[in-house]
Amino acid sequence: MKENFFIMDHPLIKHKISLLRDKRTGTNEFRALVNEISMLMGYEALRDLPTENVEIETPLEKCMTPMIAGKKLAVVPILRAGLGMTNGILALAPTAKVGHIGIYRDEETHEPHEYFCKLPDPIEERIVLVTDPMLATGGSAVTAINFIKEHGGNHIKFMCLLAAPEGLGKLSAAHPDIQIYVGQLDRELNEDAYICPGLGDAGDRIFGTK
Ligand code: PRP
Ligand code: URA
């Protein structure tokens, strides 16, 4: 079966992810980097948006020229850390609607817990781009996408900055119909289910909490 994930190979994305990993990178710079990488990855993730030819009048003549067509876009960050990726996508697609799914991972069991969900209507008529910087065990992403499908979402993409092989395997197997965009694939999870080498706790680094 064809793989449903894409690992970024652009040097700009690689460089910026290396800066994110650096523990000396402070909150302000971290946020700006997440924003920039999300925009670069969004360019890739939205490459299959359908277009249709429309008539435009240039200063010289009328012509038929392509514009984005078909399904409208919804960006759905998984709270909290996915929020940091939203503006990068909205810079590319300013008319996209934004939903939110709140999920936190239990520190002991690493199981996901949902605490908030609000999706734009009609979700079944939209391309849904779910964002979360970290795909670790995959529990949060699988839960979020289950929820979107239960509410009618049928054209779903997932975008993360770092993935562990465990999480990528789990998400890909649970939802083989979605497209998964990964900034970089890391080595493994540690015993606390953190991605190694990783970048630490993405939410804390974006929001300056501890
Ligand atoms: C982090 C991260 C993902 C999740 C990934 O969120 O942003 O949502 O963990 O782990 P998983 O693949 O094992 O489910 P966290 O639970 O720390 O919440 P936060 O974003 O509010 O800090
Ligand atoms: N969540 C994070 O923020 N970082 C990890 O490495 C794993 C889960």
Side-chain angles (χ1 to χ4, degrees), residues 1 52 192 209:
M1 202 176 75
E52 66 184 358
D192 296 321
T209 48

Side-chain angles (χ1 to χ4, degrees), residues 14-208:
K14 290 182 181 176
H15 177 84
K16 288 175 192 293
I17 288 179
S18 297
L19 295 174
L20 276 187
R21 293 185 190 279
D22 191 330
K23 67 179 184 187
R24 295 169 302 179
T25 300
T27 304
N28 207 11
E29 191 188 351
F30 193 92
R31 249 184 233 149
L33 285 164
V34 168
N35 194 49
E36 289 164 14
I37 299 165
S38 303
M39 201 184 316
L40 293 169
M41 287 184 66
Y43 178 79
E44 201 50 45
L46 300 180
R47 128 174 337 271
D48 61 353
L49 284 184
T51 59
E52 66 184 358
N53 278 339
V54 296
E55 189 179 270
I56 296 277
E57 194 167 353
T58 77
L60 300 178
E61 61 180 37
K62 285 184 182 164
C63 66
M64 297 301 286
T65 190
M67 302 273 276
I68 304 290
K71 287 190 167 190
K72 297 195 173 3
L73 187 67
V75 185
V76 178
I78 300 179
L79 307 180
R80 290 176 301 162
L83 268 182
M85 299 172 70
T86 310
N87 283 345
I89 315 287
L90 292 178
L92 301 174
T95 59
K97 299 285 188 276
V98 181
H100 297 88
I101 300 188
I103 297 177
Y104 72 89
R105 239 174 38 147
D106 183 281
E107 284 185 11
E108 301 291 322
T109 65
H110 311 132
E111 288 298 314
H113 295 275
E114 221 171 289
Y115 59 88
F116 183 80
C117 291
K118 181 92 179 157
L119 298 176
D121 275 337
I123 199 69
E124 62 275 14
E125 290 174 18
R126 297 180 186 277
I127 295 170
V128 183
L129 179 55
V130 181
T131 61
D132 192 330
M134 310 304 274
L135 181 61
T137 66
S140 303
V142 169
T143 302
I145 291 165
N146 285 344
F147 179 84
I148 294 167
K149 286 186 173 175
E150 281 157 22
H151 284 76
N154 55 43
H155 189 160
I156 301 170
K157 294 167 181 274
F158 177 83
M159 202 168 105
C160 64
L161 306 186
L162 293 185
E166 296 89 331
L168 183 55
K170 180 170 174 162
L171 180 59
S172 178
H175 294 295
D177 56 307
I178 72 166
Q179 287 105 43
I180 305 168
Y181 299 88
V182 178
Q184 260 173 34
L185 183 59
D186 272 11
R187 192 181 68 246
E188 62 185 355
L189 293 178
N190 69 12
E191 66 272 18
D192 296 321
Y194 269 75
I195 299 174
C196 293
L199 51 75
D201 186 305
D204 284 347
R205 295 198 66 189
I206 290 170
F207 296 108

